[in-house]
């Protein structure tokens, strides 16, 4: 998306990706059309200021999916992003160079590729997306540490029972794939609070006006105001009202307010903010009602992996003793393992003082345009971060509606 906007602004770029298929990442590389977008089609344009771009593309290329308020398959959205890039390349020949390569290091004036080649660069923008999960200490043939790896779920038999670590969006995705394959086993999902993503309404929700006390002042007062609004009957309307201003509120928050948000409210924010299509929610409810999906609140303990089964010891939330969970497989669905301090690209930048971690260690500190801050707090004019790795600076920078706004800021800075 950034390369296309740069080209439309007359700026050349080199687009580096480890595979020839650019524009997919984790979310859109899924071949399963049952994996739906979490945002309605009419809000998924890849270009800020062109609200109908994606819907118009659907009507022309996948007319059966052209309903603006519906949720299109993520695979199809990947097709749209690639089609947009190709169209821009055709309209602006020579402004986008594609390179199939991996970057080993970022220096002030060049990129060092994994094959040793040095690539001159005036500016570098890190758009590395969501990394694979942190597999933790558990190891074994019966443990699937990265469920997104090609063929990761192929070993699971149709009648096999599974234990899933995590109850968020990744868990939802994996259960969908298994069910579509004809899987008839049982799944037990465990997380600290057993919170699952809430479903969207069938029809779009209208943002509710937010009173001043919900936008400023002590966090406790804001939360009280939000809960009062939610009790009036439409919590989704409240979340829709916060959506366009979340990044601004995060930027304005003090370090202490951010810490309290992450420590106490983040799990509830995530499941209410990053919702799933209503039909997916209904399918999960049906699995739970049939006794095939159980969701438990607790902490994981020791994991024992045998030749035919895995045994997961766990402690229920609130105390007490629980019998170990035994299944044929354990799947890590804890989500992306963001860690800028250990990432091969960004860790050296931190050690050299060219970058620094934010106080909560969510990621690299950035300025309002997305520039990386040096150890002394000065912005680096030639190093930007865009997308999920920029969450420390902007909090909501995962969904396309948020990313496309950040793209405009980066394009403006580079222009």
């Amino acid at each position: 998306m950034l390369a296309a906007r740069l080209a439309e602004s007359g700026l050349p770029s080199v687009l580096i990706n480890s595979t020839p298929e650019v524009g997919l990442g984790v979310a859109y590389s899924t071949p399963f059309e049952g994996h739906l977008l979490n945002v309605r089609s009419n809000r998924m344009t890849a270009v800020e200021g062109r609200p109908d771009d994606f819907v118009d593309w659907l009507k022309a290329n996948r007319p059966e999916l052209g309903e603006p308020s519906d949720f299109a398959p993520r695979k199809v959205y990947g097709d749209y992003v690639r089609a947009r890039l190709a169209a821009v390349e055709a309209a602006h020949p020579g402004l986008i160079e594609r390179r199939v390569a991996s970057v080993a290091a970022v220096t002030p004036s060049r990129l060092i590729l994994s094959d040793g080649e040095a690539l001159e660069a005036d500016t570098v923008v890190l758009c590395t997306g969501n990394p694979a999960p942190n597999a933790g200490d558990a190891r074994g043939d019966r443990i699937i540490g990265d469920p997104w790896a090609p063929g990761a779920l192929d070993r699971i038999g149709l009648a096999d029972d599974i234990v899933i670590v995590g109850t968020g969006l990744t868990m939802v995705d994996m259960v969908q794939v298994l069910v579509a394959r004809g899987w008839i086993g049982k799944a037990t999902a465990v997380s600290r609070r057993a919170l699952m993503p809430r479903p969207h309404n069938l029809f779009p929700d209208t943002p509710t006006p937010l009173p001043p006390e919900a936008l400023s002042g002590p966090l406790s007062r804001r939360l009280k105001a939000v809960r009062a609004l939610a009790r009036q009957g439409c919590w989704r309307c409240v979340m829709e009202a916060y959506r366009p201003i979340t990044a601004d509120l995060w930027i304005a928050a003090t370090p202490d307010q951010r810490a309290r948000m992450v420590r106490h409210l983040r799990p509830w924010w995530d499941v209410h903010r990053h919702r799933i299509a209503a039909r997916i929610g209904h399918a999960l409810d049906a699995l739970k009602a049939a006794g095939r999906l159980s969701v438990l609140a607790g902490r994981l303990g020791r994991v024992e992996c045998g030749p035919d089964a895995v045994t997961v010891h766990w402690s229920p939330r609130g105390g007490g003793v629980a019998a170990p969970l035994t299944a044929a497989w354990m799947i890590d669905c804890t989500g992306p393992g963001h860690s800028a301090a250990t990432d091969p690209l960004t860790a050296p930048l931190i050690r050299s003082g060219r970058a620094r971690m934010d106080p909560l260690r969510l990621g690299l500190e950035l300025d309002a345009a997305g520039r990386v801050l040096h150890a002394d707090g000065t912005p680096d004019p030639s190093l930007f971060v865009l997308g999920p790795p920029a969450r420390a600076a902007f909090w909501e920078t995962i969904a396309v509606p948020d990313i496309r706004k950040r793209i405009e800021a980066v394009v403006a800075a580079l222009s």
Side-chain angles (χ1 to χ4, degrees):
M1 291 166 60
L2 174 62
R5 289 296 293 129
L6 288 172
E8 289 175 332
S9 302
L11 299 175
S13 65
V14 180
L15 182 55
I16 303 173
N17 198 57
S18 59
T19 69
E21 295 295 338
V22 299
L24 298 181
V26 174
Y28 311 127
S29 61
T30 174
F32 177 52
E33 291 212 358
H35 283 158
L36 305 180
L37 295 169
N38 296 328
V39 179
R40 299 179 194 274
S41 295
N42 57 6
R43 301 176 72 168
M44 285 295 289
T45 172
V47 192
E48 187 71 8
R50 302 183 206 167
D52 299 325
D53 197 68
F54 178 48
V55 172
D56 288 346
W57 183 89
L58 283 175
K59 290 178 179 177
N61 295 275
R62 293 292 299 268
E64 77 279 12
L65 301 173
E67 171 54 47
S69 63
D70 203 359
F71 299 84
R74 300 204 305 252
K75 175 182 180 294
V76 172
Y77 192 78
D79 295 337
Y80 158 68
V81 172
R82 290 187 293 175
R84 167 162 163 72
L85 179 62
V88 172
E89 288 175 314
H92 303 276
L95 287 185
I96 300 175
E97 176 188 347
R98 299 199 198 190
R99 293 289 298 270
V100 180
S102 296
V103 178
V106 180
T107 75
S109 61
R110 64 184 62 186
L111 297 177
I112 308 301
L113 303 183
S114 55
D115 62 3
E117 180 185 356
L119 188 65
E120 298 297 325
D122 295 313
T123 305
V124 173
V125 187
L126 301 179
C127 305
T128 51
N130 282 318
N134 286 328
D137 298 327
R139 298 289 188 274
D141 292 339
R142 291 276 163 179
I143 298 173
I144 300 173
D146 180 5
W148 291 112
L153 303 183
D154 291 351
R155 294 179 293 164
I156 299 177
L158 295 183
D160 287 351
D161 292 342
I162 57 176
V163 171
I164 300 177
V165 184
T167 59
L169 293 171
T170 307
M171 180 275 289
V172 173
D173 283 344
M174 296 307 121
V175 169
Q176 282 184 275
V177 170
L178 290 172
V179 170
R181 291 180 176 183
W183 172 74
I184 58 172
K186 295 181 179 180
T188 303
V190 184
S191 67
R192 291 186 180 181
R193 297 172 180 82
L195 295 174
M196 293 177 59
R198 278 25 176 192
H200 284 276
N201 274 332
L202 286 175
F203 301 101
D205 296 289
T206 302
T208 189
L210 296 173
E213 57 268 24
L215 298 171
S216 61
L219 292 184
S220 57
R221 186 181 73 173
R222 299 191 209 184
L223 186 59
K224 181 179 179 181
V226 168
R227 286 175 169 162
L229 285 174
R231 281 194 295 269
Q232 294 174 13
C234 185
W235 63 263
R236 294 177 181 85
C237 300
V238 176
M239 296 303 294
E240 287 301 303
Y242 270 110
R243 182 165 192 163
I245 60 174
T246 300
D248 294 334
L249 293 175
W250 177 261
I251 291 170
T254 66
D256 177 66
Q257 288 175 326
R258 292 186 182 185
R260 293 177 64 196
M261 166 70 181
V262 171
R263 186 183 311 118
H264 300 296
L265 289 181
R266 179 181 177 180
W268 284 271
W269 171 268
D270 285 346
V271 298
H272 289 85
R273 166 65 177 82
H274 302 288
R275 303 192 289 279
I276 56 178
R279 57 184 177 272
I280 295 177
H282 294 155
L284 294 174
D285 288 342
L287 287 174
K288 292 168 73 173
R292 294 186 55 207
L293 174 61
S294 302
V295 181
L296 305 176
R299 289 179 176 270
L300 257 64
R302 188 173 74 258
V303 178
E304 300 170 350
C305 194
D308 301 312
V310 61
T311 300
V312 180
H313 298 265
W314 68 291
S315 303
R317 184 174 179 84
V321 179
L325 304 173
T326 301
W329 307 92
M330 186 181 91
I331 308 176
D332 185 341
C333 291
T334 53
H338 290 284
S339 181
T342 59
D343 183 270
L345 273 185
T346 54
L349 298 174
I350 296 171
R351 289 195 297 268
S352 69
R354 193 179 177 194
R356 70 183 188 186
M357 293 288 289
D358 81 298
L360 300 181
R361 303 192 70 78
L362 295 173
L364 299 180
E365 279 202 282
L366 313 174
D367 72 359
R371 300 180 184 92
V372 170
L373 298 185
H374 292 170
D376 63 4
T378 59
D380 190 316
S382 62
L383 184 60
F384 292 73
V385 177
L386 181 65
R391 62 185 187 145
F394 307 113
W395 187 247
E396 286 296 331
T397 182
I398 297 173
V400 166
D402 306 305
I403 291 176
R404 65 174 182 250
K405 292 180 180 179
R406 302 307 323 154
I407 285 174
E408 296 304 312
V410 173
V411 171
L414 295 182
S415 297

